[in-house]
Amino acid sequence: MAKHTPARLAQDYFWITLGSVIYSICFDWFYVPNQIGFGGLTALGMILNHISPAVPIGVVVLVLNIPIFILGWKFLGGHTLVSSLFAMVATSVLVDLVAAVHTFQPMDPMLAAVFGGVSLGASLGMIFSKGATTGGTDLIARLLKLPLAWLPMGKLLLVVDLSMLLAVSIAFRSMESAMYGIIALYISTIVMDGVLYGLDRSKVAYIVTSNPRPMAAEIDKQLDRGVTFLHGEGSFTGQDKLVLMCAFKQRQIVPLKALVHEMDPEAFIVVCDAHEVLGQGFRRYQKNEL
């Protein structure tokens, strides 16, 4: 597991802070003035604020998060809860601070749903990628991730937050509020999963060539990528063949294809997407990672 050195912690909290700022601005800009349904505890804050404007949304979120954080401390450990507490307080305070400093005007609801979903998903991706959450249903989804490790965080949040959208639509007496909220929520989950998992996208190539060992040596030399030999048999010729399997970063696909073509113009190559690549030259396994 990665050590939390001072430099690493400073970097993590920089991205958590940046994500919190983006989250707060986009919430006050796109969601509140356009009464777009929002999931999680923030939805309850929106409802209470709609009923009584004197009740700040951020304060409601802070109060409701207390019992959830007590539950999360037992299962997620100190570091995750401290960083999540920081992110939750930052977003809650900034939401009220931004609202007090500037009042955003309503816009086309569809534009607000699309751009709100994109910016919110990006900000949550930044926060989650550093092991934190913004509390509320984000923290609930993080807890659900423990027994349901195979589910992406975005999909877990989608399931958890949909129930709150109905409550918002009832409070605003507008089914359109929930419908726009579903659009924004779906977009945000796609963007968030892209931030969390898309940046880790790699490729794997299967190469059939008449010069397997020299080609493997050149791939190792020029691209610094190891190659595994798979034993195969040509169905037409019946001859035994060594098939090269090589995992590599997406940016290396062009030089790899150029190298293969240069060494053997008749080579057969298949390139596939590869996700969650663990090992030397890629990511290392970390317990309870997203």
Side-chain angles (χ1 to χ4, degrees):
M1 185 176 292
K3 294 182 179 180
H4 302 297
T5 63
R8 173 67 182 273
L9 285 173
Q11 183 184 59
D12 287 352
Y13 276 89
F14 168 79
W15 287 108
I16 293 173
T17 302
L18 180 61
S20 300
V21 171
I22 296 174
Y23 177 101
S24 305
I25 293 175
C26 83
F27 178 76
D28 283 329
W29 187 1
F30 298 114
Y31 286 83
V32 176
N34 299 287
Q35 294 190 340
I36 293 177
F38 193 86
L41 297 184
T42 307
L44 296 179
M46 291 179 70
I47 293 172
L48 293 176
N49 179 260
H50 179 71
I51 296 173
S52 177
V55 178
I57 295 175
V59 172
V60 174
V61 174
L62 278 172
V63 172
L64 294 178
N65 264 298
I66 294 175
I68 298 177
F69 269 83
I70 294 175
L71 178 65
W73 188 274
K74 178 180 178 181
F75 296 100
L76 297 179
H79 173 70
T80 297
L81 263 295
V82 169
S83 58
S84 295
L85 182 63
F86 174 83
M88 185 268 290
V89 172
T91 53
S92 299
V93 171
L94 286 170
V95 162
D96 290 342
L97 183 61
V98 171
V101 172
H102 182 75
T103 300
F104 292 96
Q105 299 302 312
M107 65 174 70
D108 183 280
M110 182 58 73
L111 287 176
V114 172
F115 286 95
V118 170
S119 54
L120 193 78
S123 64
L124 287 176
M126 291 181 190
I127 295 171
F128 284 4
S129 68
K130 300 308 175 183
T133 73
T134 57
T137 52
D138 296 351
L139 186 52
I140 293 173
R142 182 69 180 87
L143 289 168
L144 289 174
K145 180 73 174 176
L146 298 178
L148 302 174
W150 52 276
L151 278 176
M153 275 295 296
K155 301 302 184 295
L156 281 171
L157 272 176
L158 182 64
V159 173
V160 174
D161 284 340
L162 278 175
S163 60
M164 299 306 302
L165 290 176
L166 179 61
V168 174
S169 66
I170 294 174
F172 290 153
R173 297 181 181 179
S174 171
M175 185 55 66
E176 290 185 354
S177 174
M179 294 169 70
Y180 284 123
I182 290 173
I183 294 173
L185 181 60
Y186 179 74
I187 292 174
S188 69
T189 59
I190 297 298
V191 174
M192 181 172 61
D193 282 345
V195 172
L196 287 174
Y197 310 114
L199 298 179
D200 185 46
R201 185 163 297 173
S202 301
K203 299 285 186 180
V204 61
Y206 298 93
I207 307 167
V208 181
T209 174
S210 58
N211 303 310
R213 296 190 183 279
M215 186 174 293
E218 285 301 312
I219 291 175
D220 179 57
K221 177 182 178 181
Q222 296 187 29
L223 302 181
D224 194 27
R225 291 297 170 194
V227 176
T228 299
F229 292 118
L230 305 177
H231 292 276
E233 179 183 332
S235 62
F236 181 72
T237 64
Q239 295 179 347
D240 291 336
K241 292 179 178 292
L242 287 179
V243 179
L244 280 61
M245 184 186 74
C246 177
F248 57 96
K249 298 293 186 180
Q250 183 162 332
R251 64 179 180 272
Q252 295 177 308
I253 186 171
V254 173
L256 176 67
K257 290 194 295 183
L259 186 154
V260 171
H261 179 74
E262 180 181 351
M263 295 193 66
D264 183 5
E266 302 301 321
F268 186 79
I269 179 171
V270 178
V271 178
C272 309
D273 286 330
H275 303 278
E276 301 297 319
V277 181
L278 305 177
Q280 186 174 357
F282 296 89
R283 293 192 305 114
R284 294 294 183 183
Y285 170 77
Q286 296 185 31
K287 186 178 179 181
N288 294 336
E289 66 179 351
L290 295 177

